[in-house]
Amino acid sequence: MSLKGNIEVSKRKFCLFETIDMLHRRSRLYKDSSKMTQQERFLLMRYDLKLLENVERMVEHIGKVYDFFLSAEPLEEWWWHLDKVASGELEVEIGLRQKDKVL
């Protein structure tokens, strides 16, 4: 698992389809998060925080090609529900989780 590439949501303009691809990539990272190192999880947390800092802007941008109302993804994948995050309907908690330990 690698989080190569620096995603600067606040400074870079993304093509709409790149942005949708970013949401799909975030879902894959969510599914593979148990394979990440602590450093990778920390980096992902930083990217998530950056996305949340720019949530209104991203909702406006993504909303040009994606209808959040039709999103069927689970709420745990909050990045597919940025409209609800922006409105306060969905609260997101970002933090590092401890990996399962084997004794």
Side-chain angles (χ1 to χ4, degrees):
M1 175 78 2
S2 177
L3 292 176
K4 292 183 181 174
N6 187 3
I7 301 171
E8 273 298 331
V9 172
S10 62
K11 295 180 183 171
R12 181 172 176 224
K13 288 196 175 192
F14 290 94
C15 151
L16 287 167
F17 297 104
E18 277 183 312
T19 308
I20 298 298
D21 183 58
M22 177 189 69
L23 300 177
H24 285 288
R25 288 174 187 251
R26 181 60 183 88
S27 290
R28 285 192 298 274
L29 289 169
Y30 175 73
K31 290 174 177 84
D32 291 338
S33 62
S34 65
K35 300 174 187 172
M36 289 182 189
T37 66
Q38 183 175 357
Q39 185 176 12
E40 288 171 330
R41 288 181 298 173
F42 179 71
L43 185 58
L44 182 58
M45 182 179 74
R46 287 182 48 207
Y47 291 152
D48 284 347
L49 288 171
K50 192 58 84 172
L51 176 58
L52 290 170
E53 288 173 5
N54 294 281
V55 69
E56 291 89 3
R57 192 171 131 211
M58 293 302 285
V59 167
E60 181 181 331
H61 180 66
I62 295 168
K64 294 174 184 172
V65 294
Y66 181 76
D67 187 349
F68 287 103
F69 182 75
L70 299 176
S71 183
E73 287 76 7
L75 292 177
E76 291 81 29
E77 296 184 32
W78 55 265
W79 44 92
W80 290 106
H81 305 279
L82 291 175
D83 61 327
K84 290 182 174 94
V85 174
S87 72
E89 184 181 339
L90 178 61
E91 195 171 303
V92 176
E93 186 175 309
I94 302 294
L96 291 175
R97 284 182 239 121
Q98 186 176 21
K99 283 181 144 182
D100 292 335
K101 293 185 179 183
V102 179
L103 299 176

